């Protein structure tokens, strides 16, 4: 099943998308639950045959939001989880962890605060007073369905509800300056997400094509089969001592082709557009603008297969 969160007037709704993405059937959960987007569907274990599903409405012109617009806690993220990206990052001069080797021996896990999540089509904001080195990172994000602690690799995929797209936007100068990455990763607007959350039964998580364009130029082109630490390993690692809950999000890392991989670096600038496509999931597109500028974010989100 493919679900998405959207705005209908002043109300937030979450619904089940049709196979062609042209219509959506909102779940009738009450305004308080619907305000939590897909989190409410995941926690209640609702499926495509739920009696709470209403009538179909066209998706054309709908304003999509992130599937989980405000995660209930920080998003787990994984650094340097593709070989070629680990090498490009180590060579860039921004990798404060490079002394321990380009390729990590165990997953590098950091987090982004929930408040930096933004909708498809919303603007990634550049604040020159905070950072002048802002970069994109296209990533597969897995969303936990069934929580647990001490989850073993062999059982890990049973705990995954599904997948969506995340852009792990990063201030490289802050990432390098503060060693620990949270400040550089959690700046306001630095987590575009969505628009679609696809259940894991419709995906082969270990074989998803991932592409990222900036202003139409293809920058990243990889497949999740190239992950250094695969999704089961990440779930086993994190859950070893941290209980995972339904709705927890794990951004699995970005492949080669980020802005600092180029010489000179290709940082994001106002007026750019970042578009990310993951096979079987969809397309996430966000404009870039200066913080405080009057330009309204374009509503580019469409639930496309
Ligand atoms: Mg990342």
């Amino acid at each position: 099943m493919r679900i998405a969160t959207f705005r209908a007037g002043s109300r937030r709704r979450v619904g089940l998308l049709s196979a062609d993405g042209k219509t959506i059937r909102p779940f009738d959960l009450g305004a308080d639950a619907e305000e939590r987007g897909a989190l409410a569907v995941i926690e209640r274990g609702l499926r495509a045959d739920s009696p709470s599903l209403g009538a179909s409405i066209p998706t054309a012109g709908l304003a999509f939001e992130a599937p989980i617009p405000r995660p209930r806690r920080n998003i787990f993220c994984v650094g340097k989880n593709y070989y070629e990206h680990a090498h490009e990052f180590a060579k860039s001069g921004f990798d404060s962890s490079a002394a321990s080797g380009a390729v990590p021996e165990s997953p590098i896990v950091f987090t982004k605060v929930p408040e930096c999540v933004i909708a498809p089509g919303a603007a990634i904001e550049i604040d020159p007073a905070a950072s002048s080195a802002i970069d994109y990172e296209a990533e597969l994000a897995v969303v936990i369905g069934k929580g647990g602690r001490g989850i073993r690799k062999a059982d890990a995929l049973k705990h995954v509800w599904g997948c969506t797209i995340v852009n792990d936007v990063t201030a490289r100068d802050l990432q390098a300056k503060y060693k620990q990455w949270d400040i550089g990763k959690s700046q306001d607007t630095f987590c575009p997400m969505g628009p679609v959350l696809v259940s894991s039964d419709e995906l082969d998580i270990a074989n998803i094509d991932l592409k990222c364009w900036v202003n139409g130029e293809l920058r990243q082109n990889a497949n999740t089969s190239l992950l250094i630490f695969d999704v089961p390993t990440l779930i086993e690692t994190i859950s070893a001592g941290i209980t995972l809950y339904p709705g927890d999000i794990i951004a699995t890392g970005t492949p080669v082709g980020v802005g600092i991989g180029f010489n000179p670096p290709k940082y994001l600038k106002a007026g750019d557009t970042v578009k990310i496509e993951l096979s079987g999931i969809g397309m996430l597109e966000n404009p870039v603008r200066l913080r405080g500028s009057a330009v309204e974010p374009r509503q580019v989100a469409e639930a496309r297969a």
Side-chain angles (χ1 to χ4, degrees), residues 247-303:
D248 276 344
I249 300 165
I250 304 171
T252 57
T254 202
V256 70
V258 298
I260 44 146
F262 295 89
N263 186 13
K266 295 183 177 184
Y267 295 124
L268 294 177
K269 57 189 187 307
D272 285 351
T273 299
V274 186
K275 186 170 80 175
I276 299 171
E277 184 175 29
L278 265 61
S279 60
I281 301 178
M283 186 102 72
L284 171 66
E285 188 170 340
N286 295 83
V288 181
R289 69 174 176 185
L290 282 178
R291 179 175 168 79
S293 76
V295 183
E296 285 304 308
R298 290 186 300 133
Q299 292 299 327
V300 294
E302 288 181 13

Side-chain angles (χ1 to χ4, degrees), residues 76 106 156 186 259 268 274:
F76 295 102
S106 48
S186 286
L268 294 177
V274 186

Side-chain angles (χ1 to χ4, degrees), residues 222-276:
N223 184 282
T224 55
S225 63
L226 300 171
L227 282 168
I228 297 172
F229 303 105
D230 63 10
V231 170
T233 302
L234 299 176
I235 290 174
E236 182 177 88
T237 301
I238 295 169
S239 75
I242 300 174
T243 300
L244 288 174
Y245 295 96
D248 276 344
I249 300 165
I250 304 171
T252 57
T254 202
V256 70
V258 298
I260 44 146
F262 295 89
N263 186 13
K266 295 183 177 184
Y267 295 124
L268 294 177
K269 57 189 187 307
D272 285 351
T273 299
V274 186
K275 186 170 80 175
I276 299 171

